[in-house]
Amino acid sequence: MTSFISHTTVDCADAYPLSRWWQAVLDYVDDPDDPNEPGHEECMIFSRDGKHRLLFVEVPDAKQVKNRIHFDLRPVEGSRDAELSRLIELGATTVADRRNPDGTGWVVLADPEGNEFCILRSNAEVAAGPA
């Protein structure tokens, strides 16, 4: 007997705007039978293939320390640096730049509520090797 991950839950101060932000980052969608709306204390979004779900749940506690679990994102198309620019335009903030002179590495970012995540090189960039 084993278990599977039903969904990933993100504690937050305001579920609706944070779910909308992550929808833009990941190109996820609402459940058409249960759409998210302003004021909802729980907002679930789905990958377009339905294989992954993120649930944003409002909690009274403020984020205080580094996440113990975080997302590592890869651009679906384009480069890490182009995706980094897009995420910054969406409102992400840079926490740490771990890019190396040879083009390898990653950048640690934070979403609008301070949850850390990383942006890695695309699969095409990895296959091409160091710059």
Side-chain angles (χ1 to χ4, degrees):
M1 182 177 293
T2 62
S3 297
F4 70 94
I5 297 172
S6 169
H7 55 273
T8 304
T9 301
V10 177
D11 291 349
C12 59
D14 199 348
Y16 180 75
L18 195 59
S19 72
R20 286 291 178 251
W21 191 84
W22 278 101
Q23 274 185 296
V25 169
L26 300 171
D27 191 32
Y28 277 28
V29 296
D30 282 348
D31 178 348
D33 296 326
D34 185 20
N36 300 314
E37 296 180 5
H40 282 180
E41 294 178 0
E42 295 183 2
C43 294
M44 178 92 69
I45 59 174
F46 297 76
S47 60
R48 290 192 179 270
D49 64 8
K51 293 182 178 181
H52 187 249
R53 299 182 296 175
L54 285 174
L55 175 64
F56 298 86
V57 177
E58 292 183 7
V59 298
D61 311 305
K63 182 180 178 310
Q64 296 182 15
V65 297
K66 183 182 183 305
N67 301 4
R68 294 295 301 263
I69 295 176
H70 67 269
F71 300 123
D72 285 337
L73 307 180
R74 283 195 194 278
V76 173
E77 54 193 37
S79 70
R80 173 199 56 214
D81 294 344
E83 182 67 354
L84 173 62
S85 294
R86 184 182 81 88
L87 297 173
I88 297 293
E89 286 177 22
L90 285 173
T93 55
T94 302
V95 174
D97 191 334
R98 306 274 190 228
R99 291 177 285 185
N100 299 311
D102 69 357
T104 61
W106 63 92
V107 179
V108 181
L109 300 167
D111 72 14
E113 288 202 12
N115 301 300
E116 295 95 358
F117 64 99
C118 296
I119 185 68
L120 311 173
R121 295 188 308 155
S122 69
N123 286 334
E125 289 174 297
V126 171

